[in-house]
Amino acid sequence: MMLSGLLYWLSPARRRFMRRLAKPGLDATRARLAEAGSPRAVQFISTIIDANADFLAYALSPKGPLSMYCDRATPDSVAKCIATMLIYSVNLFARDEMQNNESEMIPLLAHIAGVTLMQVMLRRDALRKAPRSEEWMVLTWLAKDLGADAPKYDAELERSFGYNYLSYIAQYRPTLEREMAAADAAST
């Protein structure tokens, strides 16, 4: 599994995706982050943005769980997907912070994602109250970001997307914890 992940990470298809489709959205997202985020937030969110872009490259590949949408990927739609995944993944890693309506994270995410405060809070609340899994909710948002209708519920697709995403993003938890511990130590 580790070797196949490394081979995909080095693959020409992934590099093409990142260069052609993800780079414009990543550049714009990073620029908005740099203008509004504290050094600690920039470090934390940059890692999450990179992780989500890499996962999206895999998810939209022929073997990925979103392969049925690969023809719909454009720089604009991928930028929307990156924003959607950012809100979701920050919610995963900083759930307590996201539950607080007065949190600085909500306006920061709104600025970075190019949406309103209300849209961030509505997405956060929808994730908490999702009739299916949070991953299914995100998958339907990604389909819409890619210009497709939300798919009809499919337990196998939900399982595949959820397993792949959560397995992938879990690899970044130790990195995020180290980065935040180092940032906390530097600020004291």
Side-chain angles (χ1 to χ4, degrees):
M1 184 69 170
M2 182 74 116
L3 180 59
S4 68
L6 178 61
L7 291 174
Y8 178 73
W9 194 79
L10 296 171
S11 75
R14 181 200 160 274
R15 289 195 317 267
R16 263 190 315 277
F17 177 89
M18 296 302 281
R19 184 178 60 250
R20 293 180 185 162
L21 298 173
K23 186 176 181 343
L26 288 171
D27 288 350
T29 302
R30 285 188 183 112
R32 288 190 299 269
L33 173 61
E35 47 182 59
S38 68
R40 188 172 194 261
V42 168
Q43 190 170 18
F44 174 72
I45 292 174
S46 291
T47 300
I48 290 176
I49 290 168
D50 292 340
N52 282 327
D54 276 336
F55 176 77
L56 197 56
Y58 162 72
L60 289 168
S61 74
K63 293 184 180 180
L66 301 178
S67 61
M68 69 288 256
Y69 303 120
C70 69
D71 294 342
R72 295 176 169 274
T74 66
D76 287 339
S77 66
V78 168
K80 289 177 185 175
C81 290
I82 289 169
T84 292
M85 294 177 76
L86 176 62
I87 293 168
Y88 168 61
S89 54
V90 168
N91 192 55
L92 280 177
F93 285 110
R95 196 170 298 268
D96 291 341
E97 178 89 11
M98 289 293 290
Q99 288 179 3
N100 178 2
N101 285 342
E102 304 304 316
S103 167
E104 294 176 9
M105 188 65 73
I106 293 171
L108 178 60
L109 283 176
H111 180 74
I112 295 167
V115 297
T116 66
L117 291 172
M118 187 59 67
Q119 288 171 304
V120 172
M121 289 190 283
L122 287 172
R123 288 230 165 153
R124 174 206 60 195
D125 294 345
L127 288 167
R128 277 194 255 159
K129 299 172 185 170
R132 307 256 185 232
S133 68
E134 290 181 356
E135 292 74 32
W136 181 257
M137 178 75 65
V138 171
L139 187 146
T140 62
W141 291 339
L142 292 173
K144 290 177 185 176
D145 289 344
L146 291 162
D149 292 332
K152 292 185 183 199
Y153 180 70
D154 179 335
E156 180 57 30
L157 179 58
E158 176 185 38
R159 186 198 62 73
S160 174
F161 178 81
Y163 172 79
N164 281 284
Y165 184 78
L166 294 174
S167 297
Y168 190 84
I169 203 74
Q171 299 173 70
Y172 287 85
R173 186 173 294 278
T175 301
L176 288 167
E177 289 170 355
R178 276 193 312 275
E179 289 174 351
M180 293 305 96
D184 288 343
S187 68
T188 57

